[in-house]
Amino acid sequence: MKKVFILMGAGISAESGLKTFRDANGLWENFKVEDVASIEGFEKNPKQVHEFYNMLRPQMDKALPNAAHIAIADFEKRADISLYLVTQNVDLLHEKAGSKNVRHMHGRIDETVCLKCGHVIKTPEKSAFDDVCDKCGAKGYLKPNIVFFGEMPMFMDEIENELKSCDVFVAVGTSGVVYPAAGFVQEAKYYGAETYLFNLEYIENNYYFDHQILGKASETLPAFLQKL
Ligand code: APR
């Protein structure tokens, strides 16, 4: 059974119409990261942060999976493969394509978390800071269940174990500038995995990717997964 670790970035959602973060006119071109994606920004102005994700939610709800998402959902079904899929994205395009096990290491757009009791609330529509937690009743403790800069990503213990034992490591549509995700390839390579990057742009001086395949993931990834 071949163990494959796949790390997703915003680039895979780009062809489904969702903005990436660091491309020209990316999401961070219009907003200051420190205002809407950092724990300090949340503490300073929680209402603005909720408004930001309330703005993103409908766009993400409307987006449809592309050929890369579908190829990964098909790949997950193969009997000869053990797939560990991690995404940095908060959209649910992998789930819409049929993937069953998706680890959202930076959280999910359809959830809100209570900072008082840790309860996670499904949030299909709008979230608000002053909403009441339906478990502990606290008011003014709700935060989008998104991992902000300054917070620990999710699933890190599991991810560390999987990086130590995977045979193939594939990163898709990520600029490799945000840690700890950007360091996963180094760990996988250290433990003997063959490493691939599928991206639009070449990442200079990156000694950890054995292969960098340039192009749109919807065109390059399906054929690669079929041959793997
Ligand atoms: N196919 C493949 N790659 C693509 C495509 C595409 N169709 N379109 C864009 N890309 C590439 C871009 O070249 C870029 O290198 O996807 C990458 C997207 O990089 P970023 O915008 O930096 O997104 P990402 O790497 O996922 O950011 C990581 O940073 O802001 C935080 O929490 C946020 O999860 C995000 C994290």
Side-chain angles (χ1 to χ4, degrees), residues 27-38 41 44 48-49 52-53 149:
L27 212 50
W28 297 147
E29 296 284 308
N30 311 327
F31 296 90
K32 287 168 77 188
V33 181
E34 53 274 21
D35 292 344
V36 295
S38 76
K44 212 166 22 181
Q48 180 186 39
V49 172
F52 175 68
Y53 290 101
F149 285 100

Side-chain angles (χ1 to χ4, degrees), residues 8-12 14-15 20-23 28 33 88-89 106 147 149 172-178 198-201 203 215-218:
M8 285 294 157
I12 189 167
E15 292 172 76
T20 61
F21 293 93
R22 289 168 190 81
D23 285 341
W28 297 147
V33 181
Q88 300 173 87
N89 303 334
H106 290 166
V147 177
F149 285 100
V172 183
T174 183
S175 58
V177 298
V178 174
F198 288 79
N199 210 42
L200 268 193
E201 63 198 357
I203 297 191
K216 289 186 171 182
S218 65

Side-chain angles (χ1 to χ4, degrees), residues 13 16 19 39 46 90 101 131 137 157 167 174 180-181 191 200 208 223:
S13 302
S16 296
K19 283 189 170 183
I39 195 67
V90 297
N101 297 301
D131 283 353
D157 292 346
D167 304 302
T174 183
Y191 285 100
L200 268 193
Y208 304 112

Side-chain angles (χ1 to χ4, degrees), residues 25-26 66 75 93 102 134 168:
N25 81 14
N66 60 57
F75 188 65
L93 288 169
V102 187
D134 56 18
V168 180

